[in-house]
Amino acid sequence: MVLFGALFLALLVGAHAELPGCKIRITSKALELVKKEGLLFLEQELETITIPDLRGREGQFYYNISEVKVTELQLTSSELHFLPQQELMLQITNASLGLRFRRQLLYWIFYDGGYINASAEGVSIRTALQLSRDPNGRMKVSNVSCQASVTRMHAAFGGTFRKVYDFLSTFITSGMRFLLNQQICPVLYHAGTVLLNSLLDTVPVRSSVDELVGIDYSLLKDPVASTSNLDMDFRGSFFPLAEGNWSLPNRAVEPQLQEEERMVYVAFSEFFFDSAMESYFRAGALQLSLVGDKVPHDLDMLLRATYFGSIVLLSPAVIDSPLKLELQATAPPRCTIKPSGTTISVTASVTIALVPPDQPEVQLSSMIMDARLSAKMALRGKALRTQLDLRRFRIYSNQSALESLALIPLQAPLKTMLQIGVMPMLNERTWRGVQIPLPEGINFVREVVMNHAGFLTIGADLHFAKGLREVIEKNRPANARDPWPSSAPPSSTAAV
């Protein structure tokens, strides 16, 4: 009975789980590019290490090591890979640090000082970033685990007391090695939880697309990592800005990602596009009114000839009035994605009327238009763009079959008017595109679009249009300039 209850509860939870409209997979092939930028950023961060002064006494010798600065970092071996569940692991082995510090030595009444170059060798770092979804649906680095160790240090002592320094070098360098070990992990913790999170803050979560519609890219759950990829499920839902709390139920097929050949894959279900079109429909954007000179001249003449019998019965003041052609979607358009291609189905009312000045308009006819558009998707930069093409078109009367027959001569000119006058306006808007949830400074290149039953996937490679350091510095929080946050975790537990 307990087992049955648990099974029922699991099915109930699964039945109410929200399906993603958009999925993104980052594969291990992207990590080499990410590692290149990440290591450059890490080098610059580690060079900000500030090591406390080392003061002490050994017999009659008093020493003070101060102004310790990291001058260079050489990474000879590094690896970046995914860990199952939610982690990204960076391992650095056999690296070296160049150091410069000021020495001060007092032996009885003799004093010696100056600057010394030193090196820390056999530097090993193992750090893992845990990725999760925050309460706002944004991906965050929620924790950083770290182990770091320095195997040995060497200092090129010289000057008056070179022999004395040689005697004390083991003691001094051991102390410096201990202090250096204590500083590496706090720097990495700050880089992950503060600086990398400022980069992730540039990923759009809930933002406006234009003056009418917004899009919600909230993560539905924590990112899931395997040994070869990182998968993220996004809501991927548009909404009218005037109805911020409105959402379209997602009953579409859940997109699936199986490929791993490219750096990144993005999948969109039919719901993604349906929510966009329903949002524009609810915002009142799917309508078009052409009056007077806006109606193509040849079409104006044809419409007046077609409805000549109705026009001549009107008063002379109305007969020569400007013609009005109005198209308005009667229901939200719907998207159908098949392996053969993507189509958009639109049903609209077409109203033809005369609009005499300072008088009510006189309707001549009302008909129904069914249109089918083909849609080709492309990724440019980080925007999903759409190119539409009118494929099928028909008009018919909702009053009688006889009137539908009378409308046949209007089919070709109305279709031409849509192709010449309406489709360019639609494509101007759809080609502007909508942003995909990627951080600032990263773009898609060399994309390939693949259609499936109910969803489409786009495989692409990544390109850093801006350096990681440049983007982080631009978006660095004002209170994050100090690399030693009070919330920093304990330093490395590695042996020194």
Side-chain angles (χ1 to χ4, degrees):
M1 187 66 180
V2 174
L3 180 61
F4 175 78
L7 179 61
F8 176 77
L9 181 61
L11 291 173
L12 186 64
V13 171
H16 288 83
E18 184 177 355
L19 295 177
C22 171
K23 287 187 174 184
I24 294 183
R25 164 172 288 182
I26 307 295
T27 72
S28 56
K29 294 185 183 303
L31 294 186
E32 194 62 34
L33 177 67
V34 173
K35 185 180 77 170
K36 180 180 177 181
E37 282 291 326
L39 290 179
L40 181 61
F41 166 70
L42 184 60
E43 287 180 18
Q44 294 166 333
E45 282 302 301
L46 288 176
E47 287 175 5
T48 67
I49 287 179
T50 301
I51 299 175
D53 294 350
L54 182 65
R55 298 185 179 91
R57 174 182 177 181
E58 188 71 15
Q60 298 300 318
F61 294 99
Y62 295 84
Y63 60 87
N64 179 28
I65 303 298
S66 61
E67 301 178 27
V68 183
K69 301 292 182 182
V70 176
T71 57
E72 63 175 337
L73 173 64
Q74 294 184 351
L75 304 177
T76 56
S77 177
S78 61
E79 182 180 354
L80 181 65
H81 60 271
F82 296 115
L83 288 181
Q85 299 307 318
Q86 299 166 236
E87 291 193 339
L88 186 62
M89 170 69 72
L90 174 65
Q91 287 183 285
I92 296 173
T93 56
N94 201 29
S96 62
L97 287 169
L99 302 169
R100 181 175 174 80
F101 58 87
R102 183 185 181 192
R103 72 181 189 275
Q104 293 174 295
L105 176 67
L106 181 64
Y107 177 65
W108 292 101
I109 61 173
F110 301 100
Y111 171 82
D112 182 51
Y115 287 88
I116 293 179
N117 294 322
S119 62
E121 300 172 349
V123 179
S124 296
I125 300 172
R126 178 185 172 91
T127 183
L129 307 180
Q130 184 173 11
L131 306 173
S132 63
R133 172 190 180 275
D134 76 1
N136 296 319
R138 186 184 300 278
M139 186 167 72
K140 287 287 188 180
V141 177
S142 56
N143 191 31
V144 177
S145 61
C146 176
Q147 289 182 323
S149 64
V150 178
T151 303
R152 57 193 177 275
M153 286 197 67
H154 173 72
F157 291 106
T160 306
F161 293 98
R162 178 177 179 179
K163 296 296 183 182
V164 176
Y165 279 122
D166 288 341
F167 172 74
L168 294 174
S169 63
T170 301
F171 178 78
I172 294 176
T173 55
S174 294
M176 288 184 61
R177 184 163 62 92
F178 173 81
L179 292 175
L180 185 59
N181 273 327
Q182 302 303 302
Q183 307 306 312
I184 292 176
C185 282
V187 168
L188 295 180
Y189 183 85
H190 179 261
T193 58
V194 178
L195 301 184
L196 287 184
N197 276 335
S198 71
L199 176 68
L200 294 176
D201 284 341
T202 67
V203 178
V205 173
R206 190 175 174 90
S207 59
S208 61
V209 176
D210 52 30
E211 69 279 2
L212 297 175
V213 166
I215 189 166
D216 188 340
Y217 276 127
S218 300
L219 272 174
L220 298 180
K221 60 181 181 180
D222 290 335
V224 177
S226 67
T227 55
S228 57
N229 55 65
L230 178 72
D231 288 340
M232 295 163 282
D233 290 359
F234 297 91
R235 178 168 288 120
S237 175
F238 292 77
F239 59 91
L241 293 177
E243 303 176 70
N245 294 324
W246 175 85
S247 62
L248 179 69
N250 186 353
R251 300 185 179 90
V253 173
E254 181 176 357
Q256 303 295 322
L257 288 172
Q258 305 295 335
E259 301 89 347
E260 297 182 355
E261 289 76 24
R262 307 299 287 271
M263 290 186 182
V264 62
Y265 288 90
V266 188
F268 304 96
S269 71
E270 292 174 342
F271 165 79
F272 180 87
F273 303 101
D274 284 346
S275 69
M277 293 182 290
E278 179 135 354
S279 296
Y280 281 107
F281 176 80
R282 295 176 70 93
L286 302 185
Q287 55 184 323
L288 175 67
S289 182
L290 302 176
V291 181
D293 294 340
K294 298 296 183 181
V295 180
H297 180 68
D298 292 345
L299 182 60
D300 184 287
M301 293 181 61
L302 179 61
L303 291 174
R304 289 181 186 274
T306 302
Y307 298 103
F308 179 76
S310 300
I311 293 175
V312 296
L313 299 177
L314 301 174
S315 66
V318 175
I319 290 177
D320 295 326
S321 298
L323 193 71
K324 177 183 178 182
L325 178 63
E326 185 174 69
L327 291 82
Q328 183 170 3
T330 57
R334 284 292 175 255
C335 173
T336 303
I337 302 176
K338 296 180 179 180
S340 57
T342 302
T343 58
I344 308 294
S345 300
V346 184
T347 299
S349 64
V350 180
T351 302
I352 302 168
L354 292 174
V355 271
D358 303 322
Q359 295 185 45
E361 66 181 48
V362 179
Q363 181 174 309
L364 299 177
S365 178
S366 177
M367 63 196 83
I368 301 298
M369 177 194 77
D370 282 342
R372 181 168 295 180
L373 314 176
S374 67
K376 294 183 178 180
M377 313 300 175
L379 279 179
R380 295 291 186 272
K382 57 166 60 81
L384 176 67
R385 304 173 189 267
T386 306
Q387 180 75 31
L388 300 173
D389 187 24
L390 181 61
R391 290 299 185 185
R392 296 184 183 179
F393 171 85
R394 75 182 184 103
I395 53 173
Y396 60 92
S397 171
N398 55 0
Q399 301 297 323
S400 68
L402 185 61
E403 188 175 352
S404 294
L405 290 174
L407 294 175
I408 291 177
L410 294 178
Q411 296 258 25
L414 280 176
K415 183 178 181 180
T416 300
M417 185 272 295
L418 289 174
Q419 289 174 323
I420 296 176
V422 177
M423 296 306 299
M425 290 190 295
L426 283 177
N427 281 320
E428 190 277 330
R429 173 60 195 90
T430 59
W431 196 248
R432 278 186 248 159
V434 59
Q435 185 176 344
I436 304 303
L438 275 184
E440 181 182 341
I442 303 177
N443 291 333
F444 293 105
V445 293
R446 296 183 290 276
E447 78 281 356
V448 177
V449 181
M450 296 156 284
N451 277 47
H452 306 273
F455 64 96
L456 61 86
T457 61
I458 303 178
D461 291 330
L462 296 175
H463 169 69
F464 278 90
K466 298 179 181 178
L468 190 60
R469 163 66 59 182
E470 179 185 353
V471 177
I472 288 178
E473 286 299 327
K474 175 184 173 183
N475 297 281
R476 184 192 289 256
N479 59 353
R481 300 288 169 181
D482 181 5
W484 308 110
S486 58
S487 58
S491 53
S492 171
T493 57
V496 298

